Amino acid sequence: MDSIYQALFSSSQILIDQIGRAAVSEEVGFGPFWVLMDGLKTVRAGDKGKLYDVLEDMEQISRLTAQVDDGFEPAILGVNGAVVAAGQLCTERSHCGYMFLVLPGYSLDTAEANADLIELLMSQMNIIASLIEKNNQLHQGQLTRMAQKSPVLTATR
């Protein structure tokens, strides 16, 4: 029974979906927006079409994620009148994938001038991920204890 809860609450795919629902808007206006991508480079949250409007092809995404994987974070690319800052979306226990902060109307100069703010926003996204993961751990512990105390479940063991 514990393995069911372990699989349910520790999957990085489930975690990235929860982070997306909690912190990423699907509707993007004209301002900055987030896009979350899993380790397989599948967009899990955010406006995929809007990201692809800014980034011309998957090669640009691959270059950004390769820089992040090499430890260069945030990886910043100026393209099509916008700046895309990429970073690792992770917690203490799991690597969920990547986060992209897309800043329409920014240039590399304005991104450099606001580098501290960009890093702060990316750090906040990882804090949100860590809090959601800790909440999942608490739920997993509660369900495990309830299952161990349940007369129906203990009788079937």
Side-chain angles (χ1 to χ4, degrees):
M1 187 65 76
D2 191 37
S3 64
I4 292 172
Y5 300 137
Q6 179 75 22
L8 181 64
F9 289 110
S10 65
S11 164
S12 64
Q13 300 296 323
I14 291 172
L15 184 58
I16 198 170
D17 287 338
Q18 290 175 314
I19 297 163
R21 283 192 304 273
V24 177
S25 173
E26 294 294 328
E27 281 189 38
V28 178
F30 296 103
F33 62 95
W34 287 103
V35 175
L36 305 181
M37 184 177 285
D38 65 18
L40 301 173
K41 300 204 171 80
T42 303
V43 173
R44 304 291 293 198
D47 193 330
K48 178 180 181 177
K50 202 86 151 149
L51 176 67
Y52 292 145
D53 286 346
V54 173
L55 295 174
E56 296 163 349
D57 53 32
M58 280 302 291
E59 186 177 315
Q60 291 177 322
I61 291 173
S62 293
R63 266 186 286 167
L64 283 169
T65 57
Q67 288 178 356
V68 170
D69 291 341
D70 289 341
F72 184 71
E73 232 180 306
I76 296 179
L77 175 67
V79 61
N80 292 335
V83 167
V84 179
Q88 187 179 138
L89 182 62
C90 62
T91 66
E92 289 178 19
R93 298 177 66 193
S94 46
H95 170 67
C96 300
Y98 306 93
M99 61 180 135
F100 298 90
L101 178 58
V102 183
L103 303 161
Y106 272 54
S107 67
L108 287 175
D109 291 336
T110 54
E112 186 177 317
N114 292 298
D116 291 341
L117 182 58
I118 291 169
E119 287 184 26
L120 176 69
L121 290 169
M122 294 184 123
S123 175
Q124 294 294 313
M125 186 63 78
N126 279 325
I127 289 169
I128 291 168
S130 293
L131 290 171
I132 290 172
E133 182 180 63
K134 289 192 185 314
N135 187 52
N136 288 347
Q137 290 171 342
L138 288 171
H139 284 297
Q140 178 185 348
Q142 287 174 329
L143 288 173
T144 301
R145 283 188 294 285
M146 286 172 47
Q148 289 170 345
K149 292 179 180 179
S150 171
V152 173
L153 293 175
T154 49
T156 59
R157 286 188 183 176

